[in-house]
Amino acid sequence: MQKKRIFFLVVTLFTLVCSAFSVYGLMNAQSIEPTYDEQAKDELQNSFELFSYYVAEQLDPNYKPISFKDPVDAEEAKRIEDFVQNRIYATYTTMNQDSNFYYEAEYKGKTITSAENFSSKHWTLFENNEDPRIQNALYSEIAWNFGTETAKNIQIHEPKNVKVAFYVHDPVIRNGKYIAHLSNIDALILPQMIFGFFLPLALAVLIVLLFKNKVECETVFFKDFIKWKFEPAFLFSTIGYLLLCMGIFSLSLACMNREFYMTFETIKGIVPISYILYFCLWMLLYWMYWLDLVYIKRMFAEGFLRFVKKDTLLFTFIRWVHKKVKELMEYSLFEGNSATKLVLLFGLFVLVTIFFNIPVLGWFLMMACLIYGLIQGKKYYNRLHKQYDITLEATKKLAEGRFDEVLPYPVGPFQSIYNSLLQVKTGFEKALQEGIQSQNMKTELISNVSHDLKTPLTGIKTYVELVESTDDPKKIKEYAKKIEGYTNRLDRLVVDLFDVSKANSGNIELEKQMIDITSLIEQVNAEHIDALQKKNISIVLKHPDHPVFLDLDPNKTMRIFENLTNNIAKYSHDHTRVFMDIEDQGDLVKITYRNTSSLPLDFNPDEIVERFVRGDKSRHEIGSGLGLAIVKSFTEVQNGTFKIEIDGDLFKAIVTFKKENE
């Protein structure tokens, strides 16, 4: 963390200091007097000479700068004469508006001068009355625009008896106009540009080499940029350098020529604003240096080949093509994706065709694609053969009943077949498991029915023998009541068994009518109040403020809530509260019973609703074991749902009925 802060601090200070030195260099360059090279002097001399034509026309009304040696079409002659006049006038306008320029002209005692104030000690004199380049300047203008043959037919007339003196301000006023631009300002800017561009770059390279790559790549601002792919980063840097260099150079010229100041001379503080802008441009350029240097160092530090493969869009595209080719080779024989694969194949074909048509490079691309296709074809054939053998072997194992040895495995174009084999395997295993479970349930059912039938029958047999062995009327009456109790228990067991069988087989008749579910539950609670009070169990019934009507069979529905209440009376912990909630949910009515069990709830909620399954596994409690099975059957036969939830000692029974559509 400390090293990252140090690196960021060094980068920031370096950028600020170098940017400040660049501004200082511009300020020094502004104080250096500009010079003129030979090319600038020649151009200035030609402009003076063209200017003299205008002066001659003003002083001598009969003067014409050109004439034609041979007769010329009137329209063509007019076009050439207009061009010459426009060129001469444009030169006059440009020169006359330049505060660096002053002239004096004389013809037959008649003189004209510039309107500017003139002091000889601040001006340099240029004279050109007999310089032959005057013909060359105008001749070149005509030849460039109308052709050499036309220029040869033109006679150029030098001004006669006209003396013109030209003066240029010394030193040149940097006003951004014509003469100031001819001065060799680039020679003043270039040294400080070289210093500003390359010396900080060399120092930045040394600093980057001093720090570890990991430190630089984890520093703020750098850690996001280095994640860019190479092509976007290269494009960003190229455009950034281009714009910044153009901005720096243009602003340097503007500041040297005061063009910027004169354009915005009404803005207060334009000079410091221009320096601040110049400082910011250099600062952004140096930050670009740092970003690119860290990016390049990371490129080689982490392995150049790894970088090319992972962090370039070109190789990302190549990997995408390779992936799509593999998908084409591994399509399933029976999946409905043929159209998509054909479209993708056609797209790849078009792309390769475009590559092939690239001059020279197309041949190399064709050979590369051919070699790639042969390699992939060989790999595809070997993989296809192996996948076919795996699929065939799985089929043999299923035929032999070795289900455990058939596991999920990718087999390419045979995947749909292999998946079907896995489904067959799952179906066989499920059927086998259900068969075993059914057999176990049958065995348990027989055992439970035998036990529950045997208990009352044994009691009846015992008390019949006792009746036969005594003549005491009181004992006979007592034994008869016992026999009656066992008989009633046996009768309930048989009735419950028939009810469950009818409900499961669907052979049950329902006599539906609209009933108020709240009133029905309150009635059931009232009938069981004695049994509940014996264990000091209180009921907390929560129901909507309005009646909740359902289209149900009253007898079957009452049987549902009687069985649930019986369970509560048998298995709830003494001195507890039982919560009964009736919720009207619009299309559904949800009834929830919650009680705290006196016995450990160590059974599966899904198994407890099966026939003859009881939470009391010792079967000491009196009951058929069909109570919850009847609840489930009678609920489902009326298009409802029933489920059990267990949370510690909390037993929750949930009954849900749908409301009939009105």
Side-chain angles (χ1 to χ4, degrees):
M1 181 63 71
Q2 187 66 25
K3 291 183 178 180
K4 288 188 289 185
R5 290 179 179 175
I6 293 175
F7 177 71
F8 182 77
L9 181 61
V10 169
V11 168
T12 304
L13 290 176
F14 179 91
T15 302
L16 293 175
V17 170
C18 289
S19 301
F21 269 109
S22 297
V23 175
Y24 178 74
L26 177 65
M27 296 172 67
N28 281 343
Q30 288 178 327
S31 63
I32 301 174
E33 293 299 332
T35 59
Y36 290 92
D37 55 18
E38 291 302 319
Q39 182 178 356
K41 290 179 180 179
D42 288 344
E43 185 175 349
L44 185 61
Q45 191 71 41
N46 287 337
S47 297
F48 290 156
E49 292 161 356
L50 289 175
F51 187 90
S52 67
Y53 285 110
Y54 181 84
V55 174
E57 288 180 333
Q58 299 299 312
L59 295 174
D60 185 359
N62 298 320
Y63 174 73
K64 297 289 183 181
I66 64 170
S67 63
F68 298 94
K69 298 177 182 179
D70 298 323
V72 180
D73 180 73
E75 184 176 346
E76 178 70 10
K78 180 71 167 57
R79 194 161 64 92
I80 296 173
E81 289 174 352
D82 288 344
F83 168 77
V84 171
Q85 291 297 324
N86 290 335
R87 184 69 185 87
I88 291 172
Y89 183 75
T91 302
Y92 165 77
T93 303
T94 301
M95 300 292 291
N96 198 45
Q97 292 177 351
D98 196 335
S99 56
N100 281 305
F101 175 72
Y102 177 81
Y103 77 95
E104 293 178 345
E106 180 181 355
Y107 174 72
K108 295 181 180 181
K110 186 179 178 181
T111 62
I112 56 174
T113 63
S114 295
E116 297 289 338
N117 294 326
F118 178 72
S119 175
S120 59
K121 63 180 179 180
H122 295 300
W123 298 81
T124 301
L125 175 64
F126 288 79
E127 290 189 276
N128 65 314
N129 289 327
E130 298 179 357
D131 196 322
R133 284 179 297 184
I134 186 168
Q135 296 186 21
N136 292 338
L138 192 55
Y139 178 84
S140 298
E141 292 277 354
I142 297 172
W144 178 262
N145 289 275
F146 297 96
T148 305
E149 294 300 324
T150 301
K152 289 179 180 179
N153 190 39
I154 293 175
Q155 178 70 42
I156 300 175
H157 305 288
E158 298 180 21
K160 300 296 184 180
N161 302 318
V162 177
K163 294 185 65 177
V164 185
F166 302 106
Y167 298 87
V168 175
H169 198 277
D170 186 16
V172 173
I173 302 171
R174 297 194 185 106
N175 56 6
K177 295 185 179 180
Y178 175 68
I179 295 177
H181 273 300
L182 290 177
S183 62
N184 194 10
I185 296 176
D186 292 352
L188 303 179
I189 297 175
L190 191 60
Q192 66 106 3
M193 287 292 177
I194 294 175
F195 172 83
F197 278 112
F198 296 106
L199 182 59
L201 177 61
L203 294 175
V205 171
L206 293 176
I207 294 173
V208 167
L209 293 175
L210 290 176
F211 288 86
K212 292 183 178 180
N213 178 63
K214 183 178 180 181
V215 173
E216 296 165 346
C217 292
E218 292 179 354
T219 304
V220 64
F221 295 124
F222 296 94
K223 61 183 179 181
D224 294 325
F225 182 73
I226 61 172
K227 296 177 183 177
W228 288 23
K229 296 293 185 182
F230 172 74
E231 290 83 355
F234 179 79
L235 183 63
F236 172 78
S237 297
T238 302
I239 295 176
Y241 285 129
L242 181 63
L243 295 177
L244 288 172
C245 291
M246 289 175 58
I248 290 171
F249 192 75
S250 299
L251 189 57
S252 298
L253 287 175
C255 291
M256 295 294 290
N257 287 323
R258 298 184 182 176
E259 209 172 60
F260 184 81
Y261 306 145
M262 295 182 69
T263 304
F264 300 99
E265 58 186 357
T266 57
I267 301 177
K268 185 177 181 180
I270 190 64
V271 175
I273 291 175
S274 63
Y275 285 142
I276 292 172
L277 179 60
Y278 193 71
F279 176 85
C280 292
L281 290 175
W282 277 109
M283 189 169 64
L284 290 174
L285 179 71
Y286 293 143
W287 269 107
M288 292 288 295
Y289 280 176
W290 291 111
L291 289 174
D292 289 338
L293 288 174
V294 171
Y295 192 93
I296 294 171
K297 182 179 177 181
R298 172 238 174 188
M299 182 190 306
F300 290 96
E302 297 181 1
F304 183 74
L305 291 179
R306 189 215 68 82
F307 173 83
V308 172
K309 292 179 180 179
K310 300 292 184 182
D311 293 318
T312 59
L313 292 178
L314 175 62
F315 269 80
T316 301
F317 174 74
I318 292 174
R319 286 197 304 272
W320 178 83
V321 172
H322 179 70
K323 178 183 176 183
K324 295 304 177 183
V325 170
K326 288 184 65 178
E327 290 179 0
L328 285 173
M329 292 183 174
E330 295 179 357
Y331 75 94
S332 176
L333 293 177
F334 298 101
E335 289 181 359
N337 55 3
S338 301
T340 304
K341 301 298 182 183
L342 288 175
V343 171
L344 181 59
L345 182 62
F346 179 75
L348 291 175
F349 173 77
V350 172
L351 187 63
V352 172
T353 304
I354 294 173
F355 285 162
F356 285 173
N357 285 277
I358 300 176
V360 182
L361 182 62
W363 186 87
F364 292 99
L365 290 172
M366 181 179 66
M367 294 303 299
C369 290
L370 180 61
I371 295 172
Y372 174 77
L374 292 173
I375 294 174
Q376 291 299 321
K378 176 63 176 175
K379 289 182 178 179
Y380 177 67
Y381 174 78
N382 294 336
R383 185 167 62 250
L384 190 67
H385 192 276
K386 180 181 178 181
Q387 292 166 345
Y388 172 78
D389 290 340
I390 293 172
T391 305
L392 183 61
E393 184 65 21
T395 306
K396 292 179 179 179
K397 290 178 180 178
L398 285 178
E400 296 172 1
R402 295 183 289 165
F403 301 136
D404 293 341
E405 298 180 19
V406 181
L407 302 174
Y409 197 86
V411 289
F414 305 103
Q415 193 64 54
S416 59
I417 299 176
Y418 197 88
N419 291 341
S420 297
L421 294 176
L422 291 175
Q423 291 177 357
V424 171
K425 168 200 168 184
T426 303
F428 278 146
E429 290 178 338
K430 184 177 180 181
L432 181 60
Q433 185 177 2
E434 288 179 351
I436 294 173
Q437 184 178 2
S438 178
Q439 186 63 36
N440 292 336
M441 289 182 65
K442 287 180 181 179
T443 303
E444 186 176 359
L445 176 62
I446 294 172
S447 176
N448 290 338
V449 170
S450 299
H451 179 276
D452 288 338
L453 289 175
K454 185 178 180 180
T455 300
L457 288 174
T458 301
I460 292 172
K461 181 179 178 181
T462 300
Y463 284 105
V464 168
E465 292 176 352
L466 291 174
V467 169
E468 292 176 348
S469 64
T470 183
D471 295 328
D472 188 347
K474 290 183 180 181
K475 288 186 178 183
I476 291 174
K477 188 175 181 180
E478 180 184 348
Y479 297 155
K481 285 186 178 181
K482 294 289 186 180
I483 292 172
E484 182 183 8
Y486 283 119
T487 303
N488 292 336
R489 180 177 174 184
L490 186 60
D491 180 66
R492 285 197 304 270
L493 178 61
V494 174
V495 171
D496 288 347
L497 188 57
F498 276 123
D499 286 340
V500 173
S501 299
K502 286 181 179 180
N504 290 340
S505 64
N507 186 22
I508 188 171
E509 296 181 1
L510 297 176
E511 298 178 1
K512 289 187 175 183
Q513 64 183 57
M514 299 302 293
I515 60 173
D516 182 358
I517 199 70
T518 303
S519 299
L520 183 67
I521 291 176
E522 288 177 341
Q523 180 182 344
V524 172
N525 292 342
E527 293 176 358
H528 291 79
I529 191 64
D530 292 337
L532 295 171
Q533 287 180 349
K534 286 181 180 179
K535 301 183 71 173
N536 199 15
I537 297 173
S538 58
I539 295 177
V540 178
L541 177 61
K542 182 180 178 182
H543 58 82
D545 296 335
H546 58 276
V548 180
F549 289 99
L550 294 172
D551 189 15
L552 302 171
D553 186 315
N555 294 326
K556 302 297 186 295
T557 307
M558 179 168 283
R559 187 75 176 280
I560 291 171
F561 297 115
E562 283 180 346
N563 287 2
L564 291 176
T565 309
N566 280 331
N567 265 13
I568 289 173
K570 287 181 183 178
Y571 300 113
S572 288
H573 204 288
D574 294 354
H575 308 288
T576 57
R577 288 185 294 176
V578 175
F579 295 90
M580 300 178 183
D581 297 336
I582 304 173
E583 300 177 63
D584 186 353
Q585 299 180 348
D587 294 337
L588 298 174
V589 176
K590 181 179 178 183
I591 302 101
T592 305
Y593 282 51
R594 291 174 293 163
N595 67 286
T596 304
S597 175
S598 60
L599 299 174
L601 300 178
D602 54 356
F603 49 79
N604 189 331
D606 295 329
E607 294 178 355
I608 196 65
V609 295
E610 297 296 335
R611 289 169 290 179
F612 292 99
V613 178
R614 296 163 58 174
D616 176 22
K617 295 186 178 181
S618 64
R619 308 187 70 83
H620 289 162
E621 287 286 344
I622 297 175
S624 64
L626 294 170
L628 294 181
I630 292 173
V631 171
K632 180 180 179 184
S633 299
F634 283 5
T635 301
E636 292 177 350
V637 81
Q638 298 185 91
N639 297 322
T641 60
F642 174 65
K643 67 176 181 178
I644 299 295
E645 293 181 1
I646 295 173
D647 185 4
D649 289 337
L650 180 64
F651 182 88
K652 185 187 295 186
I654 303 172
V655 179
T656 306
F657 289 113
K658 292 182 180 179
K659 287 185 178 180
E660 294 294 331
N661 293 329
E662 297 181 359

